Every structure is written in structure tokens, then in C-alpha cells.
Amino acid sequence: MALIELKNLTKTFVTKTQSVNALKDINLSIEKGDIYGIIGMSGAGKSTLVRCINYLERPTSGSVIIDGRDLSTMSQKDLRQLRQQVSMIFQHFNLLQQRDVRGNIAFAMEIACMKKADIDRRIDELLDIVSLTERQHNYPSQLSGGQQQRVAIARALSTNPKIILCDEATSALDPQTTQQILSLLKDINQRMGITIVIITHEMSVVESICSHVAIIDEGHLAESGPVEAIFSQPKTDAAKRLIFRNVQKTDKLIGDRMVRIVFDGQQADEPVIAELISQCHIMVNIQFADTRNVGGKAFGQMILQLPEDHLQQDKAIYFLKEMGLKVEEVSGHAL
Ligand SMILES: Nc1ncnc2c1ncn2[C@@H]1O[C@H](COP(=O)(O)OP(=O)(O)O)[C@@H](O)[C@H]1O
Ligand SMILES: [Mg+2]
């Protein structure tokens, strides 16, 4: 049985003026050891979904089953205990500003009534895991965003969780720090066998560490499955929109004859260009590329500047079309 099972989950928020169907009949299974990405546009229902997983939000209907236990049957006390096994980290870290790093990490263990000596020992271990031993007496305001998120990760780990839920945990961080946090999470997943659920609106996050992905669109589960399968062959419009989201983004380019080639998973990008050069002896200049590689297949677009010679230009276009790519001419200013 899956570690996390969501069955026919719905959540409707009723306010004075309206009711919002934030989640509509979601069915999802997350296995132990997965790093499961949940991706969707802003307002899709991702935060609501993740808050239902530990019952911070009570579903309107349907069930959440963790490790075989239906959360709707649990008392408040049981739920508090469960939340020690299902920790959470957030976009804005949610640290206590008046406590230093040690104090912040101690927090969940104090609530769990652990002995002071045990807490201290555990904090030392956790500081080592998140590489913050040297910063243990700093306050949050003295730390960078990445360091603050590592404190939050240590705090989340302190109660030996089975599951860590991350709600946009890297969305406030720069790309390099994001990668550091993601590799720390991956390490935690592999070394400790902790299942990780990652909510994000960024494809790159899912690509870097997730084994599985679910795409949420306006409260519906559009698609779910292994990352490679979903990203290489998105079936629904919602998935295609997310996966090709950056494709329209272009810069102003100046040049003579240029073509735009579109990769939609038929081909990997590098071999195409390499073969154009090696088989046809045609040199092209990559003016712009926004392709992503998913399991050896490319998605996105590339703009190539063709050589001066007209015959070579036509050969290049012919070759690219033969390779199964969509090729269209673009003029320098009308990209
Ligand atoms: N407590 C609430 N009361 C009313 N509406 C809410 C509440 N929380 C979320 N919503 C609505 O539910 C929808 C999904 O929100 P959310 O889960 O935060 O989306 P996401 O995290 O994907 O951006 C939105 O339309 C949002 O306005
Ligand atoms: Mg959210």
C-alpha cells in the first residue's frame, strides 16, 4: 500500500461572498521513498492539497490515508502526533525571530516534550546534517535565505519524520541556493529514506529532483506519473502549458536568414546540431535556445542563424525537416 493515498479528495472554501472549489476529486498515491512533485500555476490548489495531507486543512470530502490510517478517524491528539511524522517547510521559512538557530531547531522537540539533554544531542546531529554548526548561535536575521531554509529543514527533521512536505520551499531563493537546498533534500531522501512531497510552480525544481510529478490545474489533477513519462509526453493541455511555458519567450535578435526549430520530444537537441555540422558540413550559429532535456528528448525551441550561402541554407532547412523538426523562417526583428 502507498504511504500517502488521497481518495476523491475535495475542498471547498465557503466565504460570505462566494464558494471556491479549491480541490476537485483528487486521487493520488505516493509511495515510500518517492520525491513527488506537485506542480501547477498560482491558485491551482497546491497549498490546499499539501495542507490536506497533514490535515492542517480538513477536506470537504474524500479521504487522506497515511501509512494505512485514515486521518478522518483520528483524534486531535493523534493528529498532533501524526504531524511530527509529516513535517512541513515553507517558502518564507517561518522561523522564530527571537530564537537563535539552536532554539529554532529545538522548537518541535520541546513541543514533543523531549528531554533537554536529548534535544541538545539531536540538535548537534541536525546541525551537522544541514551544515550549520558554525551558525548555531545566530538569529534568523543574521542568516541568508538558504541558511534560514536549512534551519527549517533541521527543524522539520528533528522529530524523525517519515514525510516532509515542502510548499514552495525554494521559491524565495536564487537559482544557486535553490540547487543547494534541493540537493540537501535529495540527500535526506536517499540517506534517511524520507518521502518528500514538493509543491512548486517551477518546472526546473521538478526536473532536478523529483521521481514523480502530479500536475494540478484549477483544482483538478490533470496528470500524474513518473517525471520522464509526463514531461516527455504530456497529454493534457494543462501539462503542455506548463511544460512549454517558456517557449514563447524570445529576445530581440539581429541577423540575416534565421530559422526557428521547435523540439517537441521527437529528437534530442545536441545530436541534431552535431549532425547538421558533421553530415552536411553546414555551420550554424545558435542565436537563442530555450530547450529542456527530459530523458534524452528535447522540448522547446532554438533559433539558428544559417550560413551566408543560399544552397547551404536550403540544405540546412531540408535536413532539419528530414529530422522531423518543425522549421520556420524568422526575420531578425519579428521573433
Ligand atoms: N482559506 C481560504 N479561504 C478561501 N479561499 C481559499 C482559502 N485558501 C485558498 N483559497 C482559494 O483556493 C484556491 C487555491 O489556493 P491555493 O491552494 O493557495 O493555490 P496554490 O497554492 O496552488 O497557489 C485559490 O482560489 C484560493 O484563493
Ligand atoms: Mg501556494
Side-chain angles (χ1 to χ4, degrees):
M1 174 186 275
L3 181 58
I4 303 172
E5 297 243 26
L6 308 180
K7 289 189 181 159
N8 307 107
L9 193 69
T10 70
K11 176 72 191 183
T12 304
F13 292 107
V14 181
T15 63
K16 282 199 192 102
T17 50
Q18 59 179 343
S19 79
V20 178
N21 296 316
L23 296 175
K24 303 165 189 163
D25 198 26
I26 304 273
N27 289 287
L28 194 64
S29 297
I30 298 177
E31 302 290 335
K32 184 178 181 328
D34 282 352
I35 301 186
Y36 211 112
I38 294 176
I39 187 166
M41 306 281 186
S42 175
K46 306 180 296 295
S47 293
T48 306
L49 179 67
V50 80
R51 288 164 59 80
C52 283
I53 294 179
N54 62 5
Y55 256 48
L56 279 176
E57 204 77 75
R58 240 172 210 276
T60 305
S61 65
S63 42
V64 178
I65 299 161
I66 294 189
D67 228 356
R69 294 182 72 191
D70 186 333
L71 271 51
S72 68
T73 65
M74 289 168 75
S75 65
Q76 283 303 322
K77 181 163 168 275
D78 286 347
L79 283 173
R80 275 197 299 277
Q81 261 167 14
L82 172 101
R83 286 189 201 116
Q84 295 179 4
Q85 311 231 304
V86 188
S87 317
M88 244 182 132
I89 59 173
F90 305 89
Q91 178 171 8
H92 296 296
F93 325 127
N94 295 11
L95 300 180
L96 300 165
Q97 297 300 316
Q98 294 78 10
R99 285 185 170 213
D100 66 3
V101 169
R102 290 190 77 90
N104 268 287
I105 299 174
F107 191 65
M109 294 186 278
E110 290 170 8
I111 290 179
C113 300
M114 276 172 63
K115 285 202 206 89
K116 173 99 173 55
D118 293 338
I119 293 178
D120 279 337
R121 200 173 320 118
R122 183 82 179 122
I123 290 173
D124 290 337
E125 285 170 19
L126 292 162
L127 285 168
D128 187 43
I129 292 168
V130 301
S131 313
L132 278 180
T133 305
E134 279 160 30
R135 294 292 193 151
Q136 58 183 300
H137 299 301
N138 284 167
Y139 287 83
S141 62
Q142 300 170 311
L143 301 173
S144 70
Q147 288 166 338
Q148 292 186 61
Q149 195 58 292
R150 281 191 271 150
V151 176
I153 291 171
R155 181 181 57 189
L157 287 172
S158 65
T159 51
N160 293 311
K162 289 189 178 139
I163 300 165
I164 298 182
L165 307 174
C166 311
D167 191 353
E168 301 278 3
T170 57
S171 299
L173 305 174
D174 62 66
Q176 196 188 342
T177 311
T178 292
Q179 284 310 317
Q180 286 165 3
I181 294 294
L182 293 178
S183 58
L184 176 60
L185 290 172
K186 178 145 204 172
D187 199 45
I188 286 167
N189 165 263
Q190 290 182 337
R191 286 202 341 221
M192 306 177 198
I194 296 175
T195 304
I196 299 184
V197 180
I198 294 197
I199 300 286
T200 182
H201 66 280
E202 292 172 302
M203 288 277 302
S204 56
V205 168
V206 175
E207 280 168 358
S208 353
I209 64 164
C210 294
S211 56
H212 293 74
V213 63
I215 294 171
I216 305 287
D217 181 53
E218 295 180 0
H220 285 290
L221 177 69
E223 289 184 45
S224 65
V227 170
E228 197 196 303
I230 301 290
F231 281 11
S232 63
Q233 287 174 342
K235 291 182 182 66
T236 58
D237 286 345
K240 287 177 191 162
R241 266 201 308 279
L242 274 170
I243 291 166
F244 297 122
R245 182 161 47 181
N246 295 328
V247 169
Q248 268 71 21
K249 200 175 61 191
T250 50
D251 290 321
K252 246 199 262 163
L253 295 173
I254 313 144
D256 294 315
R257 197 169 176 198
M258 293 196 277
V259 289
R260 183 203 312 269
I261 54 179
V262 178
F263 293 89
D264 61 359
Q266 310 290 320
Q267 293 287 348
D269 50 358
E270 282 149 17
V272 169
I273 305 304
E275 284 184 40
L276 186 62
I277 296 169
S278 72
Q279 288 189 24
C280 311
H281 308 287
I282 293 173
M283 292 304 292
V284 292
N285 199 357
I286 300 176
Q287 286 280 357
F288 172 87
D290 185 8
T291 56
R292 46 179 92 247
N293 190 312
V294 179
K297 290 172 180 161
F299 294 88
Q301 69 170 343
M302 212 180 254
I303 291 174
L304 303 178
Q305 188 173 24
L306 300 178
E308 295 272 312
D309 183 89
H310 288 276
L311 186 62
Q312 292 235 314
Q313 290 172 359
D314 292 340
K315 261 171 83 178
I317 291 169
Y318 179 79
F319 175 82
L320 292 168
K321 285 185 175 162
E322 282 286 288
M323 296 291 280
L325 297 164
K326 220 173 101 197
V327 184
E328 64 187 40
E329 295 224 22
V330 288
S331 64
H333 296 282
L335 301 174

